[in-house]
Amino acid sequence: MGCEGIDDMSKESLSITDNRTGKSYEIDIKNGSIRAMDIRQITVNEDDFGLLSYDPSLGNTATVTSSVSFIDGDKGILEYRGYPIEQLAEKGTFLETAYLLVHGELPNKSQLENWETDITHRTMVLENVKKFMEGFRYDAHPMGMLVSTVGALSTFYPEAKNVQDESVRLEQTIRAIGKVGTIAAWAYRHTLGYPYVYPDNDLSYSGNLLNMLFRMVEDKYIPNPVIERAIDVLFILHADHEQNASANTMRAIGSSLADPYSALAGAIGSLYGPLHGGANEAVIRMLEEIETVDNIPSFIENVKSGTDGVRLMGFGHRVYKNYDPRAKLVKEMADKVFEVTGRNHLLDIALELERIALEDDYFIERKLYPNVDFYSGLIYQAMGFPVEIFPVLFAIPRTVGWMAQWSEAFGDREQRIVRPRQIYVGERQRDYVSMKDRS
Ligand code: ACO
């Protein structure tokens, strides 16, 4: 190969020949990607709109540049702002992690104290919000209550729509992190028919959440330190996860310059589905249905044959093609929690299910490993939570990542209103048929 060939090989570009026209194009490659707009110039004639890329469900399309969280799905790596999730889970706290995700750096001592005070002083929710929540039916799903109540916050904080103002965005971020726990806890109390519990500013974020969830008639609620720390760690693990369905929803709604509470309501709605944050609820329902370890082989056969569209819930991930690092940490934490709460009776089924699946060619070939939801539900259930509240417990910490990513988009001059293209495959230019002539 001559020198010219070597130069060509080292160029950060892509040569494309359109076989319809014989024309060639050179397209720049940056950060391992090409710009989808660069292929628009590829046309067959003057009337041609230009080449589109078709990517249903955005499996190979980057829609943003971001510096909030990083995933290497093949190696099973997750980092927040460059810090490995394992170190944050071992040494950090949830609010410290929230500061890191929102501000980009770990806080010093006084920054953390101020941040904790700011969030603690935003946990109270207006009485009108409480009355609004009381109007839900006794059996309302708490995730439905959370979606609507968080969305309704925009009516209480109209200034939130000044989204171009950085200080307004930060204020809403602090407010959202503070209030989402209170609304979530009240949604839980509502399903039990119990009075709502007001926040206690003396407690940590997780301790106060436990107070608002579980306090009965005691003068002062004192959280169990093991459970309080377990919630804190679970919240660290769930705080952000780059461009998943709900973060994408948050950004898409935010791109129209809607207020952040409307965007948050959309993101929570996206999280609700069983293929996303609703999976932890679906895992428990699946384990209960399997019922005994003896039934596992026939269940696995059903999954493999695709009978009734059954999937092994809590397994598989669009990005992780290795063990989800969060699942590893949750599994390790389960033993500590079970020492306090007692062992979850479904754990044996989960462990055996995991063992069989990881040795089975179907799962090996498709690189399906446990994701964060496989074990988190078992912990929440052992703590006494009903399954309906699991996705709500996911939404509380994820509010941090959603708000951080929403705000990040305003600093990116390339972001405009999200507006994908479609490939239209329907009928065209038909004449209206009057009712009497329709068959
Ligand atoms: N059980 C059985 N088979 C599965 C599973 C599963 N859990 N997940 C994927 N597969 C199979 C698919 O049937 C498909 O097989 P095929 O190639 O023979 O058709 C192949 O693996 C690829 O699956 P896709 O659906 O294309 O993968 P995708 O990236 O679209 O889906 C998802 C990812 C939605 C997470 C999927 O793995 C799934 O449904 N898992 C169960 C639900 C779950 O646990 N969701 C939580 C995700 S983590 C989170 O959101 C916090």
Side-chain angles (χ1 to χ4, degrees):
M1 190 188 286
C3 288
E4 202 184 319
I6 291 171
D7 280 352
D8 282 352
M9 292 289 286
S10 63
K11 265 190 187 164
E12 289 287 304
S13 68
L14 180 74
S15 297
I16 299 178
T17 302
D18 184 347
N19 293 324
R20 300 169 302 175
T21 59
K23 279 197 216 159
S24 290
Y25 303 83
E26 191 169 316
I27 290 181
D28 287 340
I29 297 177
K30 202 174 163 198
N31 297 325
S33 63
I34 60 162
R35 284 181 172 265
M37 283 305 276
D38 282 354
I39 62 169
R40 182 75 74 76
Q41 60 179 305
I42 303 176
T43 54
V44 280
N45 56 44
E46 272 182 12
D47 296 335
D48 188 358
F49 176 76
L51 200 65
L52 286 178
S53 64
Y54 177 57
D55 188 11
S57 70
L58 301 176
N60 195 40
T61 296
T63 55
V64 298
T65 56
S66 179
S67 47
V68 181
S69 58
F70 169 81
I71 300 174
D72 183 330
D74 290 328
K75 296 199 180 114
I77 290 173
L78 170 62
E79 294 168 359
Y80 292 163
R81 302 277 187 189
Y83 293 97
I85 192 68
E86 292 81 1
Q87 292 184 23
L88 292 166
E90 190 196 333
K91 298 175 186 158
T93 66
F94 170 61
L95 284 190
E96 184 187 10
T97 305
Y99 185 100
L100 171 69
L101 287 167
V102 170
H103 290 284
E105 296 295 337
L106 283 168
N108 63 29
K109 197 166 176 292
S110 70
Q111 285 168 331
L112 181 60
E113 280 166 8
N114 290 339
W115 176 249
E116 286 173 344
T117 305
D118 284 347
I119 289 177
T120 305
H121 286 111
R122 302 298 193 297
T123 50
M124 193 59 108
V125 172
L126 290 168
E127 281 299 290
N128 304 64
V129 178
K130 189 173 152 221
K131 289 207 182 93
F132 167 84
M133 292 184 73
E134 282 164 353
F136 282 100
R137 274 188 63 153
Y138 68 96
D139 59 351
H141 194 292
M143 200 65 168
M145 291 179 72
L146 190 71
V147 170
S148 345
T149 311
V150 168
L153 290 182
S154 71
T155 66
F156 293 92
Y157 306 107
E159 73 278 15
K161 62 165 74 85
N162 299 325
V163 292
Q164 304 281 12
D165 184 330
E166 195 181 343
S167 64
V168 170
R169 291 203 302 273
L170 182 59
E171 173 59 27
Q172 308 322 307
T173 300
I174 294 170
R175 204 176 249 160
I177 299 170
K179 296 195 192 317
V180 70
T182 311
I183 295 169
W186 288 2
Y188 171 71
R189 301 283 293 197
H190 187 88
T191 60
L192 300 175
Y194 291 165
Y196 303 169
V197 176
Y198 289 106
D200 179 344
N201 284 2
D202 293 341
L203 297 172
S204 71
Y205 189 88
S206 310
N208 175 47
L209 182 71
L210 289 165
N211 159 63
M212 293 187 292
L213 290 164
F214 295 127
R215 183 170 166 198
M216 296 307 280
V217 290
E218 57 270 48
D219 283 343
K220 176 96 186 157
Y221 180 85
I222 306 195
N224 178 301
V226 175
I227 305 292
E228 184 181 2
R229 177 64 190 158
I231 294 276
D232 217 59
V233 173
L234 282 165
F235 280 8
I236 292 171
L237 301 181
H238 284 86
D240 193 49
H241 211 231
E242 53 123 296
Q243 305 315 310
N244 46 65
S246 55
N248 185 55
T249 308
M250 181 86 196
R251 284 181 180 265
I253 299 177
S255 77
S256 75
L257 306 186
D259 72 89
Y261 302 109
S262 301
L264 269 180
I268 298 169
S270 172
L271 186 75
Y272 194 177
L275 297 188
H276 193 7
N280 49 17
E281 180 177 346
V283 168
I284 296 297
R285 293 193 196 282
M286 172 189 76
L287 295 174
E288 278 168 351
E289 220 173 287
I290 295 175
E291 217 179 331
T292 69
V293 170
D294 295 344
N295 292 334
I296 293 175
S298 63
F299 174 78
I300 291 276
E301 282 316 309
N302 278 351
V303 170
K304 285 161 56 175
S305 63
T307 311
D308 304 326
V310 180
R311 285 202 160 192
L312 177 46
M313 300 311 285
F315 257 66
H317 199 275
R318 175 63 62 77
V319 182
Y320 291 120
K321 300 302 167 198
N322 200 326
Y323 214 102
D324 180 338
R326 303 166 303 169
K328 239 181 240 162
L329 294 162
V330 173
K331 195 176 171 189
E332 282 163 20
M333 191 208 300
D335 290 333
K336 285 187 202 149
V337 173
F338 294 158
E339 269 174 34
V340 178
T341 60
R343 201 165 188 271
N344 188 319
H345 68 290
L346 297 172
L347 181 67
D348 290 333
I349 302 177
L351 288 170
E352 185 62 1
L353 201 51
E354 180 191 340
R355 191 190 65 75
I356 293 180
L358 292 182
E359 287 175 0
D360 190 298
D361 284 346
Y362 175 95
F363 297 91
I364 295 170
E365 278 162 19
R366 290 169 179 77
K367 299 188 176 166
L368 301 171
Y369 292 86
N371 60 50
V372 67
D373 285 328
F374 194 67
Y375 287 105
S376 63
L378 289 172
I379 296 186
Y380 286 138
Q381 195 181 42
M383 287 177 181
F385 289 110
V387 287
E388 294 76 29
I389 199 80
F390 294 179
V392 170
L393 293 170
F394 193 153
I396 299 169
R398 186 53 62 84
T399 296
V400 173
W402 289 327
M403 293 303 285
Q405 292 205 38
W406 163 76
S407 197
E408 179 182 56
F410 290 90
D412 181 348
R413 297 178 70 89
E414 286 199 296
Q415 290 296 325
R416 297 189 294 161
I417 187 165
V418 169
R419 183 27 172 119
R421 294 277 169 180
Q422 66 168 10
I423 305 209
Y424 181 71
V425 293
E427 304 280 355
R428 290 288 320 278
Q429 303 197 330
R430 298 203 280 178
D431 288 328
Y432 181 81
V433 181
S434 61
M435 187 59 80
K436 68 178 173 37
D437 295 329
R438 289 181 214 166
S439 55

